[in-house]
Amino acid sequence: MSSLDAGAQRVLLGSTSTGVIAADTAEVLARWLIKVVVNLNVTQPYRLLVPEEDRHGLAYGIPASFAVDLFRVRQQNGLVDWVQGFCGGLVMPIGMSIETQTSIAERTLVTHVRIADIVAVVVRLPYPMTVGHLPPADEIPRLWPLTATPLAWQALPVHDRYDSTMRVLRYTAPPSVFGEGIYRSF
């Protein structure tokens, strides 16, 4: 087991489910959840949506294309579960062509990972977007990247089911962010 796996295990299975989530704990948990999502995306019969540089970049940190949101869930069916795919809506800036919107939607990865009653929504945005172009949702607080207000375990919202909670992505990147290369696949 890697030190990242061991660190995440301590967070998820330990008795630290109250209080503020410290920055180092948030980074370990977010990085581990992203690693899980990347492994799922690579090993499942699904479109490969995480390029090689982002996959390998996880060994050193969290690439700027990833965001992790957290919530709790009442209904649990086993200890671990996940849903890979785009679950929710997409709101794009005015002035963006249909081709660009389609390209972004096809290359955005959204995966829900549930460990016991904790659910992470991991989002990977396509290049050249970064998580700065994806503000946190009102209904699901952001774990990573860190926000100005630290997240507290007891403040996580509780939803009935993890797979019915929609994450609406509101991209804020201006159309000028995208050049001719956006249509290239990797």
Side-chain angles (χ1 to χ4, degrees):
M1 179 185 309
S2 73
S3 61
L4 181 60
D5 293 330
Q9 184 178 23
R10 279 191 299 276
V11 172
L12 291 169
L13 303 178
S15 59
T16 326
S17 59
T18 61
V20 171
I21 302 173
D24 58 339
T25 300
E27 183 173 6
V28 166
L29 185 55
R31 198 162 146 225
W32 181 80
L33 288 161
I34 293 167
K35 175 185 159 185
V36 167
V37 166
V38 167
N39 284 330
L40 288 169
N41 183 246
V42 169
T43 60
Q44 299 300 310
Y46 193 79
R47 298 184 311 273
L48 182 61
L49 293 173
V50 183
E52 184 177 358
E53 62 269 15
D54 279 4
R55 293 192 309 264
H56 295 287
L58 280 170
Y60 309 103
I62 300 175
S65 57
F66 285 97
V68 180
D69 300 336
L70 277 186
F71 65 94
R72 290 187 183 271
V73 67
R74 286 183 190 90
Q75 183 178 350
Q76 302 168 39
N77 194 3
L79 181 64
V80 178
D81 206 355
W82 57 275
V83 175
Q84 180 175 242
F86 188 55
C87 307
L90 196 59
V91 178
M92 300 281 194
I94 294 174
M96 191 176 284
S97 72
I98 295 298
E99 292 83 9
T100 301
Q101 291 179 35
T102 301
S103 175
I104 291 169
E106 289 173 345
R107 296 178 304 118
T108 298
L109 175 64
V110 179
T111 304
H112 289 66
V113 177
R114 182 186 56 78
I115 312 289
D117 71 328
I118 302 290
V119 179
V121 181
V122 178
V123 179
R124 196 255 166 209
L125 301 175
Y127 177 81
M129 298 177 80
T130 66
V131 293
H133 298 121
L134 182 67
D138 294 334
E139 68 280 1
I140 306 173
R142 175 81 27 104
L143 174 70
W144 189 267
L146 298 173
T147 61
T149 305
L151 194 55
W153 289 110
Q154 63 272 19
L156 292 177
V158 180
H159 296 278
D160 290 328
R161 294 172 38 119
Y162 82 97
D163 56 352
S164 64
T165 302
M166 297 299 209
R167 172 63 165 99
V168 175
L169 303 180
R170 289 178 178 84
Y171 289 123
T172 59
S176 61
V177 166
F178 304 99
E180 293 300 314
I182 188 159
Y183 305 107
R184 291 183 305 206
S185 59
F186 47 84

